[in-house]
Amino acid sequence: MSDESSLTKTVDFSISGMTCASCVRRVEKVIKRVEEVDEVSVNLTLEQARVVLQNPDIIQQKINEIETAVKNAGYEAKWINPEEKIEDSSEATQHKDFLQWVIAAAFSLPLVVSMIVGSLHHGWMLPGWIQFLLATPVQFWLGRHFYVAGYRAVKAGAGNMDLLVALGSSAAWILSTVLLIGYYLNPTAHSEPHLYYESSALIITFILFGHWLEKRARHKAASSIRALQALRPDTVCKWVDGQEVIVPNEAMNVGDIVVVRPGERIPCDGVVYDGESAVDESMLTGEAVPVEKIKGDQVTGGSLNANGRLLIQVEKTGKETRLASIVQLVENAQASKAPIQKLVDRISAVFVPIVIVIALVTFFGWWIDGYLVEGLLHAAAVLVIACPCALGLATPTALATGCGAAARSGILIRDAEALERAAHIQVVGFDKTGTLTEGRLSVVSVIPTERFNAQQILQWTASLSLGSEHPLAKALLNKAQAENIELIIPESFRVIKDQGRGISGKIKDATFLFGNQKMLENLGLDGSQLPSDIQGATVSWLVRFKDEKYELLGVVAFEDHIREGADKAIAQLKAKQVKTVILTGDNEQAAYKVANAVGVDEIHANLSPEDKQKFIVKLGNEAGQKRSVAMVGDGINDAPALAAADLGIAIGEGTDVAAEVAGVVLMRNHPGLVAATIDIAQKTRQRIKEGLFWAFIYNIIGIPLAVFGLLSPAVAGGAMALSSVCVVMNALRLLRWKAQV
């Protein structure tokens, strides 16, 4: 599914210390300064950076340079080894964050009680020195991270959330301390001044609480990756000289025989060497019903052996397995950036400097009016309420959650742009065979011309099929085997592309050609003497080239079965106002039969791969209006159309070529997942829009309130933390989503 060269040039890092969109932009900036770095994408929700290098031969050197550059910028970067499982340290981090918040709350609670009681009973409050002792540890011990990160941001000529928190809380603490010292140095003072230690302590406390909730939610949003990685067992049981030997997963090689007992995960991609069992593939495909496996059947690493002992011959291990490809696709999607997020990043780059300017204007405005203390407090409230946490979390959290939810239902979305395009689809083009139909054809009729018989036609067509992997060829070989017909290996076998579609080869003293109606017409032959509309079946013609002339020998009719759920899938798309079209290389009768059965709006038959590509482009510009088009296919012949579409969707057991060019890969052969893809894309887009709305509305309302003195620093800190939590929790609603198929 993935291009090997691109994998060797892509390096992932875990990044710690980021708190907002400004941090994301800053980390990207310092990594881009490293030579040989081509692209950088930093994800706040996953706390990861994906770096694409120009030269894959110097990866280790560049890893060290990138880690150093990020460290100098005030963050920590650690290279993620793709061969190793990612150690999940988030539980320990969450526990540490929770403990810090509890301690901060314990110190802040007496200050809050003092503030409340003092407002009810004028003149009563905790002595100033006790307030100082309670607030100072919160400010400089529990809040030290904000100072360190804020200092590094200033040193690098940038601004971030930590800087705003440090400035805002420090303003309240410094003001209170100056007033307290002035009181103790003034022998004529009769009562302590009103202090604002509760504001400085509550700002830190609220934000620590918000960070803890955010990390919990972000951990949940990234759970799909960890769940997929957990499917690979650490050890395997190898069958060596009749003995079972437990070895590490890394010691398993292609060609080995491994033993998988009931209840164990299959550790590799391979084929059943011996045994029978039902295998649960739901974590990979979303299909809840276990699949029966017998000797010779393919199995996928990560699936669960349900009830029988299996011996499996290893075909793929490590990063070559289907599970590794799935993990890679989900990681790519969650680490990539939607176009809307790039706009948010540009906004956040200028947001912090603008907020600092507004805070300074607020301070001087109130000071000029004669309210120095109030000006300092209102400026602090501006700094705190404007922290761009929610702005940075809105898009990546929704993307990570949406892509994870889709993966659990067997929908793999390649990147954020594919997800965004899926939300706007107006037309869906379907290949017919293997997509709307099962793709397992059977021969229903063999009709010869007068000079020949059905046995001869079947022998020649099945012999030609020995060199082909096409579904029609498989159907002919099955029919010939059932009738015990002796086959002849053809010479000079080739696939016909330039004169319609079909195959040709030399059998004994003549060349035979077997293909579709277009091939027949290009050879200048008339097939009207034979029926070509047999119950809407797929038909192919057999022609012999002998004595310098072409001769029609007969026609073979094939029948395919409508895939279960295809009609419901088309109905779901129509309910979303999406137009459906069949684009097939088959004849019109067969296409109309399927279209009528499932309710497709429009069909185009007898198409070559190039014709399909042209129709996709035409559908996207029909009647002079630009429309967003998706193409659904499963074969090599669909690859050009998948690449030309706004969104390519490779379905089920499609070829690697189809999956490589597609933006979405469906892990099971169910057309209903097409509508589900559009549905999860639209819901994710809606969550992003809602998150950005709440992020902006908090600032639009909160900043003016703070400027005009209607918002205290403590309340601003709570509101800012609440905005981030609201945005993340809104995105997590996507975790409840399941494909309705």
Side-chain angles (χ1 to χ4, degrees):
M1 287 185 186
S2 300
D3 180 29
E4 186 67 27
S5 63
S6 68
L7 278 177
T8 56
K9 291 169 63 178
T10 302
V11 188
D12 291 334
F13 296 86
S14 64
I15 308 290
S16 57
M18 296 188 299
T19 53
C20 65
S22 298
C23 297
V24 170
R25 184 139 182 120
R26 188 164 161 234
V27 172
E28 287 181 340
K29 195 174 179 180
V30 297
I31 294 177
K32 281 179 182 176
R33 288 176 184 162
V34 177
E35 290 185 10
E36 300 287 342
V37 169
D38 196 17
E39 295 177 24
V40 183
S41 178
V42 176
N43 189 298
L44 178 61
T45 299
L46 301 179
E47 296 184 316
Q48 289 185 9
R50 173 151 293 176
V51 182
V52 179
L53 299 173
Q54 296 172 0
N55 184 0
D57 298 328
I58 54 173
I59 281 183
Q60 192 56 53
Q61 175 190 337
K62 291 302 164 186
I63 286 173
N64 296 334
E65 289 183 26
I66 290 168
E67 288 179 343
T68 302
V70 173
K71 186 175 182 179
N72 290 338
Y75 306 91
E76 292 293 329
K78 184 180 179 182
W79 173 56
I80 299 173
N81 188 340
E83 297 295 331
E84 298 176 0
K85 285 187 178 181
I86 299 175
E87 291 187 12
D88 184 14
S89 60
S90 58
E91 292 287 347
T93 304
Q94 287 175 45
H95 179 72
K96 180 182 175 183
D97 289 343
F98 178 73
L99 188 60
Q100 286 186 335
W101 170 69
V102 169
I103 295 171
F107 277 103
S108 301
L109 185 60
L111 295 171
V112 175
V113 172
S114 174
M115 178 186 68
I116 295 171
V117 174
S119 63
L120 298 175
H121 301 280
H122 185 67
W124 188 94
M125 62 171 17
L126 283 173
W129 65 272
I130 293 180
Q131 293 189 51
F132 173 83
L133 291 176
L134 289 170
T136 301
V138 177
Q139 188 69 41
F140 298 105
W141 172 44
L142 299 171
R144 67 190 180 281
H145 158 78
F146 301 109
Y147 288 96
V148 173
Y151 167 72
R152 287 172 177 166
V154 172
K155 188 179 176 183
N160 61 4
M161 187 208 85
D162 301 301
L163 178 61
L164 298 183
V165 172
L167 289 174
S169 60
S170 295
W173 185 90
I174 291 170
L175 173 62
S176 299
T177 304
V178 168
L179 292 173
L180 185 62
I181 292 173
Y183 164 72
Y184 284 124
L185 293 178
N186 185 0
T188 62
H190 297 291
S191 61
E192 286 189 351
H194 183 77
L195 304 176
Y196 303 95
Y197 284 120
E198 79 281 347
S199 292
S200 67
L202 282 176
I203 289 170
I204 301 292
T205 302
F206 276 132
I207 293 170
L208 289 175
F209 180 62
H211 279 184
W212 172 63
L213 288 177
E214 281 173 26
K215 287 183 180 179
R216 281 190 67 196
R218 280 150 59 178
H219 173 79
K220 201 170 183 180
S223 61
S224 56
I225 289 285
R226 291 188 296 274
L228 286 170
Q229 289 171 331
L231 297 181
R232 192 188 82 167
D234 294 322
T235 59
V236 297
C237 180
K238 285 175 65 171
W239 185 255
V240 182
D241 298 328
Q243 300 288 326
E244 294 184 7
V245 181
I246 305 297
V247 298
N249 190 292
E250 293 74 19
M252 180 176 52
N253 300 306
V254 173
D256 288 345
I257 305 296
V258 297
V259 180
V260 184
R261 303 179 186 85
E264 292 181 342
R265 293 277 174 193
I266 295 174
C268 61
D269 289 359
V271 62
V272 176
Y273 184 79
D274 191 28
E276 296 182 9
S277 182
V279 175
D280 180 0
E281 299 177 336
S282 59
M283 277 299 291
L284 299 172
T285 66
E287 179 59 66
V289 180
V291 180
E292 294 293 331
K293 301 288 183 180
I294 60 174
K295 184 176 181 178
D297 285 348
Q298 294 287 327
V299 291
T300 305
S303 50
L304 180 67
N305 182 22
N307 54 21
R309 182 175 179 270
L310 292 176
L311 266 63
I312 296 169
Q313 186 166 28
V314 180
E315 292 185 338
K316 292 181 180 179
T317 64
K319 66 180 182 181
E320 302 298 324
T321 63
R322 194 180 188 195
L323 174 61
S325 297
I326 292 170
V327 170
Q328 185 70 38
L329 271 176
V330 178
E331 284 181 340
N332 286 344
Q334 294 189 343
S336 61
K337 286 189 178 182
I340 194 170
Q341 178 61 24
K342 295 171 184 176
L343 173 62
V344 171
D345 288 347
R346 288 196 295 272
I347 293 171
S348 67
V350 297
F351 187 75
V352 173
I354 289 173
V355 168
I356 292 175
V357 170
I358 293 173
L360 289 172
V361 170
T362 302
F363 170 67
F364 285 112
W366 282 86
W367 185 15
I368 291 169
D369 243 6
Y371 299 97
L372 174 63
V373 173
E374 289 82 354
L376 197 59
L377 288 173
H378 301 332
V382 169
L383 292 170
V384 174
I385 191 64
C387 291
C389 281
L391 200 62
L393 289 168
T395 303
T397 307
L399 283 175
T401 311
C403 290
R408 285 196 300 277
S409 289
I411 302 168
L412 301 183
I413 299 168
R414 189 172 296 279
D415 53 37
E417 288 196 22
L419 186 74
E420 191 153 313
R421 289 196 298 271
H424 296 90
I425 293 301
Q426 297 167 283
V427 183
V428 175
F430 286 93
D431 174 48
K432 179 180 71 68
T433 306
T435 303
L436 293 175
T437 64
E438 293 181 354
R440 291 192 289 269
L441 293 97
S442 57
V443 176
V444 293
S445 186
V446 180
I447 304 173
T449 54
E450 292 181 357
R451 293 178 50 214
F452 304 96
N453 60 54
Q455 291 287 98
Q456 290 175 301
I457 302 300
L458 187 56
Q459 182 188 41
W460 287 326
T461 54
S463 295
L464 282 179
S465 299
L466 287 169
S468 175
E469 291 295 322
H470 195 279
L472 297 181
K474 293 179 182 178
L476 282 165
L477 291 171
N478 289 337
K479 181 73 171 176
Q481 183 180 14
E483 297 192 11
N484 296 316
I485 292 177
E486 184 180 349
L487 303 183
I488 305 163
I489 298 175
E491 300 175 15
S492 306
F493 175 85
R494 74 180 183 92
V495 176
I496 302 169
K497 293 181 180 178
D498 52 341
Q499 295 178 318
R501 291 178 60 202
I503 54 177
S504 73
K506 190 174 181 181
I507 299 175
K508 294 184 178 178
D509 59 346
T511 297
F512 291 83
L513 301 92
F514 185 60
N516 62 6
Q517 179 76 31
K518 194 171 183 180
M519 182 202 77
L520 190 71
E521 292 170 356
N522 285 331
L523 295 176
L525 297 176
D526 179 15
S528 60
Q529 58 180 300
L530 294 173
S532 62
D533 58 347
I534 306 167
Q535 300 174 345
T538 299
V539 297
S540 291
W541 309 85
L542 181 65
V543 175
R544 181 170 65 180
F545 181 70
K546 190 175 181 181
D547 300 328
E548 301 301 317
K549 67 176 183 179
Y550 291 103
E551 179 184 11
L552 177 62
L553 307 183
V555 63
V556 180
F558 302 85
E559 189 177 72
D560 199 357
H561 300 284
I562 305 294
R563 191 175 291 283
E564 184 181 354
D567 53 345
K568 182 181 176 183
I570 299 301
Q572 288 173 332
L573 288 170
K574 287 186 174 182
K576 292 181 176 294
Q577 308 299 312
V578 175
K579 181 179 179 180
T580 54
V581 182
I582 286 179
L583 302 173
T584 180
D586 210 341
N587 62 65
E588 285 193 2
Q589 290 82 8
Y592 271 114
K593 180 180 179 181
V594 173
N596 292 334
V598 301
V600 170
D601 299 315
E602 185 179 316
I603 70 158
H604 298 282
N606 295 311
L607 301 181
S608 66
E610 294 76 18
D611 291 334
K612 288 184 181 181
Q613 185 181 34
K614 290 174 184 176
F615 265 102
I616 286 293
V617 174
K618 183 180 177 183
L619 288 168
N621 295 280
E622 203 164 46
Q625 292 185 336
K626 173 62 181 170
R627 296 191 299 178
S628 191
V629 181
M631 174 66 192
V632 185
D634 70 332
I636 293 174
N637 61 314
D638 298 317
L642 289 168
D646 295 293
L647 180 69
I649 302 176
I651 189 168
E653 298 164 356
T655 65
D656 288 342
V657 175
E660 187 61 41
V661 299
V664 174
V665 179
L666 307 181
M667 295 304 295
R668 50 188 166 122
N669 294 316
H670 200 305
L673 291 179
V674 176
T677 299
I678 296 174
D679 186 58
I680 185 60
Q682 291 175 340
K683 283 184 168 58
T684 302
R685 181 167 166 265
Q686 183 64 29
R687 295 294 174 270
I688 291 172
K689 289 168 67 178
E690 290 169 356
L692 291 175
F693 169 79
W694 285 113
F696 279 113
I697 207 73
Y698 265 96
N699 286 322
I700 290 170
I701 296 173
I703 291 175
L705 289 176
V707 168
F708 292 107
L710 301 175
L711 199 65
S712 73
V715 174
M720 190 279 289
L722 182 62
S723 70
S724 299
V725 173
C726 285
V727 164
V728 173
M729 296 305 290
N730 182 58
L732 290 182
R733 290 163 58 201
L734 289 168
L735 290 174
R736 298 197 298 265
W737 182 88
K738 288 184 180 179
Q740 301 299 314
V741 295

